[in-house]
Amino acid sequence: MRKKEILLSPSLLSCDFARAGEQLKELERLGVKWLHLDVMDGAFVPNISFGIPVIKSIRNSTALFFDTHLMIDAPERYIKQFASAGSDCITFHIEATSDPSAVLDMIHAEGKLAGISVKPATPVQSVYPLLEKCDLALVMSVEPGFGGQSYMDPATEKIRLLKNHIKRKGYKTLVSVDGGIDVKTAPVAAGAGADVLVAGSAVFGKGDIETAVENLRAAVKGLV
Ligand code: DX5
Ligand code: ZN
């Protein structure tokens, strides 16, 4: 049986921004397909990253699939803008809005894939009623806000529960995991059922992107 594909989604947050275009070309050359874009507003999370103009600008320099992760309050205010900036999938936090179902509809109305995310303290069961509408469900394995933190072990069980529930219901939702993914934790998360592995420091933090990607691929069979 052919091993299923697991997607590596390198997080732009950890790239060298002065050389971002070059680093994205390198990822493409290595056969990476996704790019994770961490948007932080200084309110939902205690940090500010980048927003619409940066996504628009890098959209012109790469064909990578844009996996946008909105860590912002009331994401419904900005769905249109993040869609037209070039996102392919837009993921927001269930904790950030009073009507997550409506936000999923807004994203789909823009013709994009829609994802929902849970912080470490939020039970994964909270997204179950929404999964039928979700193309992706993202389990945070660190407190959102900063790259370079350590993987929180309880995320593994959340991934397992989520994946089993999705299978039982026959949904197509991809399970993604974000935070502290490296050569040690990537196989754990993938083994629990993650389809997408987000990695910032493990890809960009070592200086040599090619070796970093090779090491992750050696740790997880089927990682692209
Ligand atoms: C955290 C972000 C993550 C982060 C991952 O708020 O959502 O995407 O950049 O970085 P690493 O892989 O360094 O934990
Ligand atoms: Zn993220």
Side-chain angles (χ1 to χ4, degrees), residues 36 38 69 71 138 140 178 198:
H36 187 82
D38 283 309
H69 178 194
M71 286 164 275
L138 174 63
M140 286 306 300
D178 184 2
V198 176

Side-chain angles (χ1 to χ4, degrees), residues 11 13 36-40 67-71 93 117 138 140 144 177-179 198:
S11 170
L13 193 62
H36 187 82
L37 301 155
D38 283 309
V39 177
M40 305 180 185
D67 166 31
T68 300
H69 178 194
L70 298 181
M71 286 164 275
H93 274 264
S117 181
L138 174 63
M140 286 306 300
V177 58
D178 184 2
V198 176

Side-chain angles (χ1 to χ4, degrees), residues 90-164:
I90 300 177
T91 298
F92 62 95
H93 274 264
I94 192 165
E95 304 90 351
T97 177
S98 55
D99 195 349
S101 178
V103 182
L104 291 166
D105 291 342
M106 286 177 78
I107 299 170
H108 284 143
E110 295 299 316
K112 308 297 178 182
L113 301 186
I116 196 142
S117 181
V118 284
K119 296 209 277 186
T122 306
V124 72
Q125 290 83 354
S126 64
V127 304
Y128 287 5
L130 296 161
L131 283 176
E132 201 169 5
K133 282 188 176 186
C134 294
D135 302 289
L136 181 145
L138 174 63
V139 173
M140 286 306 300
S141 40
V142 298
E143 276 309 329
F146 300 90
Q149 305 180 71
S150 299
Y151 183 87
M152 294 164 74
D153 292 324
T156 308
E157 189 54 22
K158 289 170 96 171
I159 295 166
R160 205 184 313 277
L161 287 169
L162 182 59
K163 183 64 170 209
N164 287 341

